[in-house]
Amino acid sequence: MFVLVNGLIAGLGLAAFLALGDGLFETSTFPVLIDVSYVPGMENLPSIAELLIHLFISVIIAFFLMYFYPRDNRGKTIRYLLCWMLAFAVAFLPFSLLSKVQMTWTAFFIWVLGHLLYTMMLSIQVARNR
């Protein structure tokens, strides 16, 4: 239950942050986050269904991030979280290309900041519940 709740909250926080960033800076990071039109059979899903898929994936990511979270060494924890952040940052390129969204440095920066927020929300919850 802990992973489900925190995965949903962090996923909603990420979606809200990217939508806000898109509104303020005229980027398209939120559509990159939820777009699944490149998956066969999911070409014409409504946006709410795409958001629910994103939240489901967020819960799965939260499970793995929390399950393997190092609990004994601060240095290992920082390296672990940096690896997740690197994976999230690298994911921007293929998801942008698959979504056919224009890639800009501003969009990439918003994407990375949003995923930093996501990672921080989950890591704070893990630290609180040790």
Side-chain angles (χ1 to χ4, degrees):
M1 188 63 144
F2 175 77
V3 171
L4 176 66
V5 170
N6 285 292
L8 289 173
I9 291 171
L12 285 170
L14 171 61
F17 181 85
L18 295 184
L20 178 65
D22 287 351
L24 292 173
F25 299 101
E26 299 179 6
T27 57
S28 296
T29 56
F30 181 72
V32 170
L33 182 73
I34 66 169
D35 183 28
V36 292
S37 64
Y38 48 83
V39 178
M42 296 188 170
E43 295 87 2
N44 297 315
L45 286 179
S47 295
I48 189 71
E50 291 180 323
L51 179 61
L52 291 174
I53 291 168
H54 157 72
L55 292 175
F56 176 72
I57 292 169
S58 175
V59 170
I60 293 169
I61 290 171
F63 170 78
F64 284 105
L65 189 145
M66 292 175 165
Y67 184 78
F68 294 107
Y69 195 90
R71 301 185 192 298
D72 56 346
N73 184 325
R74 184 165 168 78
K76 283 185 182 178
T77 301
I78 291 170
R79 281 192 303 264
Y80 177 75
L81 294 175
L82 286 174
C83 287
W84 276 97
M85 281 305 306
L86 178 62
F88 291 139
V90 168
F92 181 72
L93 177 65
F95 288 136
S96 292
L97 293 173
L98 289 169
S99 299
K100 297 180 176 84
V101 171
Q102 180 183 5
M103 292 182 287
T104 64
W105 284 109
T106 305
F108 178 72
F109 184 68
I110 292 169
W111 178 271
V112 169
L113 280 179
H115 283 82
L116 177 63
L117 175 69
Y118 175 84
T119 305
M120 285 177 49
M121 285 191 288
L122 291 175
S123 64
I124 288 168
Q125 289 305 315
V126 170
R128 284 185 179 171
N129 290 291
R130 286 189 181 191

